[in-house]
Amino acid sequence: MIAAQAALETKMLLRNGEQLLLTVVIPTLLLVLFSSVDIVDTGKGKAVDFLAPGILALAVMSTAFTGQAIATGFERRYGVLKRLASSPLPRWGLMTAKTASVLVTEVLQVVLLTVIAFALGWSPHGNPLAVLLLLILGTAAFSGLGLLMAGTLKAEATLAAANLVFLLLLVGGGVIVPLDKFGSAGRQILGLLPISALSDGLRDVLQHGAGMPWGDLGILAVWAVVGLAAAGKFFRWE
């Protein structure tokens, strides 16, 4: 039942034009545009080496947080979640299916963006295990926050808030603009955000060949625990 629901969730996501715009088109355009045109000072080296890790982090956020929050919020509004909750599929099974759908979508995103980045001259380094741990913890953190928002706010409020957060974190989360541009105080504060921890951690590993980024992993783990615990406690099915 979980596998069938996960397949359905994935098909619905991939057939949704707005979701595809958010999860595929926007990250791809940002990667190609800012790698090809000298708009933002990304420091020494090729721009794509700086941008690719940040865009991968953005892809995770767009799927696990923004897309999931909006889709789940409207499912809750239209009574879809209430009906599914009364089906033979248990509630934990439904959430597991949604998580599986997010992971499948992210795999497709990572593959697509990696191919494009290689075509643009990307030269990644580092430990693949560290990258995998960062992506998993980032997914958990953003999923918890997305479900918390979808389960507590009205659908229209979720739509507006999720898109606003997406835009704010795109600008101030170290995805495209280096956190150094915000000054030392701003960097310290913004560095505690999950998108900053994910993008910086991926950049340290893939661009600079660093080992396990324990600090960024710790920040993501805290966000994951807090977000998932809060979502589990406050999520309303109706």
Side-chain angles (χ1 to χ4, degrees):
M1 288 188 294
I2 293 174
Q5 183 64 30
L8 177 62
E9 296 276 351
T10 304
K11 290 178 182 178
M12 291 172 59
L13 190 151
L14 295 177
R15 290 175 181 175
N16 190 318
E18 294 179 358
Q19 294 293 339
L20 285 178
L21 175 66
L22 183 68
T23 60
V24 176
V25 178
I26 291 178
T28 300
L29 287 178
L30 290 174
L31 177 60
V32 174
L33 175 63
F34 285 93
S35 297
S36 304
V37 182
D38 188 14
I39 300 176
V40 178
D41 182 11
T42 57
K44 298 180 180 179
K46 294 179 292 186
V48 67
D49 289 337
F50 173 87
L51 292 168
I55 296 299
L56 290 176
L58 180 69
V60 171
M61 182 180 73
S62 67
T63 300
F65 172 71
T66 313
Q68 184 170 218
I70 294 172
T72 306
F74 279 96
E75 286 177 354
R76 175 170 162 256
R77 174 188 175 182
Y78 294 132
V80 175
L81 292 183
K82 181 180 179 181
R83 293 184 180 91
L84 287 174
S86 62
S87 70
L89 180 67
R91 292 186 176 185
W92 66 265
L94 175 60
M95 291 305 174
T96 301
K98 285 184 173 293
T99 301
S101 173
V102 167
L103 292 174
V104 170
T105 305
E106 287 182 358
V107 169
L108 297 176
Q109 287 177 293
V110 169
V111 170
L112 175 63
L113 292 172
T114 299
V115 170
I116 294 174
F118 275 128
L120 293 170
W122 186 33
S123 302
H125 309 282
N127 184 359
L129 178 59
V131 174
L132 182 61
L133 287 176
L134 285 165
L135 293 176
I136 291 175
L137 283 177
T139 299
F142 285 120
S143 290
L145 296 173
L147 291 173
L148 175 62
M149 181 179 290
T152 54
L153 302 179
K154 292 183 178 180
E156 293 81 3
T158 298
L159 175 63
N163 282 316
L164 177 60
V165 170
F166 178 84
L167 292 174
L168 291 176
L169 295 185
L170 169 63
V171 175
V175 175
I176 295 176
V177 181
L179 292 180
D180 295 337
K181 303 295 183 182
F182 297 94
S184 58
R187 177 182 173 82
Q188 291 179 356
I189 295 174
L190 295 175
L192 297 176
L193 297 174
I195 185 63
S196 303
L198 182 56
S199 59
D200 275 0
L202 290 173
R203 194 169 288 122
D204 285 342
V205 175
L206 294 172
Q207 183 179 10
H208 304 298
M212 200 67 71
W214 295 113
D216 294 314
L217 287 170
I219 293 173
L220 290 173
V222 170
W223 278 104
V225 171
V226 172
L228 291 171
K233 182 176 182 179
F234 298 109
F235 192 93
R236 299 194 304 269
W237 291 77
E238 301 179 8

